[in-house]
Amino acid sequence: MGASTSVADSPLISFLHGEFERAKSENTKVPTRSHGKNGLYFHQIQQLQPPRDFPLDLRHIGTLWKLDSNHDGFVSFEELLAFAEFCNDLQRTDGDLDLAQKLKANCVMEMWESISEERSQDAFADWVICLVTQGEPHKTFAISSEALPKAEYDSERGQPVRFLHHDAVMTLYELMTPYQIATHIDQQSFLDLLQQIAEVMSLQPLTEQELDDWVPVEVVHSWVKRFIAAQANLFKELGLNT
């Protein structure tokens, strides 16, 4: 960042305000109903440009975790400013050498402290779902014993199951890009895999075309939790949990 004092007391505050408003005006892949809120969703966050080529990777999941400090999947200007202060303090303390890697390392270590226990991994999965849905509400279908979906829950027809839209699943796939997900599975196969898991769990009959673009929230939550649990285990194996 390069401010000799706090970002809030430097000319950088005007830059941040401008970037925040510019990114907020970006409509790319963000639900229309979200545009009136005073903050940024995932695809708007990606539009932010750091000052003077500051080495910031906004697709890095640890960085996003740090940036979205209250973990609601939505970044306010106050959160952006707090993150800028964090970056500025790190740059003043450690200098520019390997700053990009140091920034990621600091964010990852802070994230690690939050995901080392199973209960906190549930909270992490909740955050990822908030992040990828970008303000789009879940849709509830009633899944009956006869595997008939309905848009509204009917206690006589089946259990209510909350679903995420295809767009949110594709955003999750995009979020996993730094982990080389594309070398293992393509987007359509990823969607198919989650839906097949849902069918095994009796949450989604694949014969119902009405559900072709939907995946149960429970399935996505479980997948994300297993992913972050694997990351936590890797930290333990590398001795990074001390």
Side-chain angles (χ1 to χ4, degrees), residues 66-85:
K66 176 68 176 178
L67 174 61
D68 182 16
S69 59
N70 67 356
H71 307 133
D72 63 353
F74 183 73
V75 174
S76 66
F77 181 77
E78 290 73 20
E79 287 175 314
L80 179 61
L81 177 58
F83 181 76
E85 298 285 10

Side-chain angles (χ1 to χ4, degrees), residues 10 44 56 61 74 105 116 128-129 134 173 186-187 189 197 202 234-235:
S10 76
Q44 293 169 319
L56 183 61
I61 199 165
F74 183 73
S116 56
V128 168
I129 288 175
Q134 303 187 93
Y173 185 92
D186 61 33
Q187 289 182 333
S189 297
I197 293 171
S202 299
L234 178 61
F235 265 64

